[in-house]
Amino acid sequence: MIIQGPHETCFHLSPPARADATFRVTMVPGDGVGPELMTAVKEVFKAGDVPVEFEEFHLSEVQNMASEEKLDQVLTSMKTNKVAMKGKIHTPMEFKGELASYEMRLRRKLDLFANVVHVNSLPGYSTRHNNLDLVIIREQTEGEYSSLEHESVTGVIECLKIITREKSRRIAKFAFDYATKKGRNKVTAVHKANIMKLADGLFLQSCAEIAQLYPKIQYENIIIDNCCMQLVQNPYQFDVLVMPNLYGNIIDNLAAGLVGGAGVVPGESYSAEYAVFETGARHPFAQAVGRNIANPTAMLLSASNMLRHLNLEYHSNMVSDAVKRVIKQGKVRTRDLGGYSTTSDFVRAVVENLRHRPAN
């Protein structure tokens, strides 16, 4: 039911009968508990009558399900659909002739330069620091993960860290644009320019130059080691943090630990054209495979963010509200949050809390 006068704003008082179209989304479950988390997403979407159809591809380096052909299929699907959901594609530590992992190659080929992790406390689940709300923005196509390593002489390995002005300015602009759009007040650049004077110095200089274009946003910088300590002691001082690749990987995981761990923090990666939705702290959680104990919260919240990206605002709120309601009630909690419930129990509880369920 919609109420609307000649000059009135339109309000939905009941769920839309059906979205105008079904959205096609690429799904790459990945390794570890990824497939179980994607099953949770599909079950919740089905129960909520969410107009999304998944194109599923299994890409894995550890299960011998990775090849150039498979990678090309995934890339073709992502380029067509523009939106994807992805689990963690585990990267083996053994060197098998290719330095760049499939995860890295996906990011580079799609130019997914910005990783965004919104670290938000969950009402009803208490941690040492409650009411946290900070955003970590990480450049993820260069830096320490450039896959440029070689043995110059026997027993000596050189590993190159690549920092460019173009990509540093691009991620800085992304961070300031994000802060402006989301009504945030401060951007903090994280670096180690006291030691890596040229590389991190260039990153820091680029951030400072971009900051001058946004006079309404406060700008600070902080050294990475101090940042880690400050996050643990007083994370409330931070709002939006922007940083190169490796620092972002570390800070993502540290910050996730502040609000409940890898199972509760969603993440997303953006290029100029594409958006990939995933967990904020990328862990395959291989020891939990098949045990029905993984926490689907992060992936469900990421799926909700994906629906918002597709302008399915009603369905996005429906999913996120249901997840947050289950956590706030505190009756159904997975082991990582101190409970005894299974993944299936949690998904069932979320489905029961969906605001709109189609009549049978």
Side-chain angles (χ1 to χ4, degrees):
M1 175 183 168
I2 298 176
I3 298 176
Q4 191 175 19
H7 304 291
E8 292 173 282
T9 309
C10 170
F11 295 99
H12 281 296
L13 296 185
S14 57
R18 187 70 184 172
D20 293 338
T22 298
F23 294 86
R24 290 179 76 83
V25 170
T26 305
M27 176 179 275
V28 183
D31 292 307
V33 295
E36 295 170 51
L37 300 179
M38 293 304 184
T39 299
V41 170
K42 287 186 282 189
E43 286 179 15
V44 170
F45 276 25
K46 184 179 179 183
D49 203 20
V50 176
V52 165
E53 184 181 306
F54 290 111
E55 274 184 16
E56 204 165 322
F57 296 89
H58 292 276
L59 187 65
S60 169
E61 291 189 63
V62 292
Q63 297 175 50
N64 293 321
M65 292 196 299
S67 64
E68 291 302 317
E69 187 184 357
K70 275 257 172 96
L71 183 63
D72 287 342
Q73 288 173 357
V74 172
L75 287 167
T76 301
S77 174
M78 284 185 173
K79 286 175 180 177
T80 302
N81 297 330
K82 311 288 188 192
V83 178
M85 284 205 72
K86 186 178 73 62
K88 167 67 178 166
I89 302 169
H90 183 59
T91 306
M93 280 193 248
E94 304 81 33
F95 173 57
K96 295 180 179 176
E98 176 61 66
L99 287 169
S101 68
Y102 277 80
E103 186 96 56
M104 281 300 306
R105 288 161 74 188
L106 261 180
R107 283 181 220 158
R108 283 188 197 149
K109 285 178 182 288
L110 296 172
D111 195 27
L112 294 165
F113 69 92
N115 178 241
V116 180
V117 175
H118 186 183
V119 179
N120 214 345
S121 295
L122 293 166
Y125 181 70
S126 291
T127 56
R128 178 175 176 178
H129 302 289
N130 294 310
N131 303 313
L132 273 186
D133 181 7
L134 57 97
V135 178
I136 298 150
I137 295 177
R138 161 193 178 193
E139 205 297 322
Q140 59 174 8
T141 59
E142 59 174 16
E144 300 81 0
Y145 295 4
S146 300
S147 306
L148 295 171
E149 296 181 276
H150 62 272
E151 191 169 29
S152 49
V153 295
T154 304
V156 178
I157 303 292
E158 293 183 11
C159 176
L160 302 182
K161 166 176 173 167
I162 308 297
I163 296 287
T164 62
R165 182 182 300 279
E166 179 190 353
K167 291 191 174 182
S168 296
R169 288 175 65 92
R170 179 170 70 167
I171 196 67
K173 185 177 187 306
F174 182 95
F176 278 94
D177 284 343
Y178 182 97
T180 303
K181 184 180 177 184
K182 302 289 184 180
R184 290 180 172 267
N185 303 314
K186 181 168 75 169
V187 172
T188 304
V190 182
H191 64 94
K192 191 66 178 170
N194 57 326
I195 302 298
M196 284 171 268
K197 292 181 169 61
L198 297 181
D200 281 23
L202 176 58
F203 178 81
L204 200 54
Q205 180 190 351
S206 300
C207 289
E209 289 169 1
I210 296 297
Q212 292 178 351
L213 305 176
Y214 297 81
K216 292 182 180 177
I217 305 286
Q218 187 184 346
Y219 171 68
E220 292 179 352
N221 70 74
I222 188 170
I223 294 173
I224 176 65
D225 34 355
N226 185 29
C227 180
C228 290
M229 181 179 71
Q230 296 295 333
L231 272 168
V232 173
Q233 285 191 321
N234 176 25
Y236 303 103
Q237 65 187 288
F238 298 111
D239 192 353
V240 175
L241 299 102
V242 62
M243 61 204 77
N245 213 333
L246 175 63
Y247 309 154
N249 201 347
I250 294 166
I251 296 295
D252 281 348
N253 285 267
L254 189 157
L258 296 176
V259 295
V264 299
V265 179
E268 53 234 44
S269 296
Y270 295 101
S271 73
E273 289 184 80
Y274 312 114
V276 176
F277 295 83
E278 54 201 339
T279 55
R282 298 168 178 150
H283 292 288
F285 199 17
Q287 64 270 34
V289 173
R291 293 170 61 194
N292 199 21
I293 60 171
N295 187 345
T297 299
M299 198 62 87
L300 288 171
L301 291 177
S302 188
S304 167
N305 292 340
M306 178 194 74
L307 295 176
R308 185 167 289 111
H309 178 77
L310 293 170
N311 291 318
L312 293 169
E313 197 74 28
Y314 173 83
H315 296 91
S316 170
N317 290 333
M318 177 182 68
V319 172
S320 61
D321 289 351
V323 171
K324 289 171 183 175
R325 207 173 293 129
V326 170
I327 288 172
K328 193 170 186 179
Q329 288 164 356
K331 294 174 185 173
V332 181
R333 285 206 172 144
T334 46
R335 291 189 190 186
D336 58 321
L337 297 184
Y340 298 96
S341 301
T342 63
T343 309
S344 305
D345 293 335
F346 192 92
V347 172
R348 203 174 299 118
V350 170
V351 167
E352 287 168 2
N353 276 275
L354 289 174
R355 198 167 54 223
H356 157 59
R357 296 172 67 192
N360 292 325

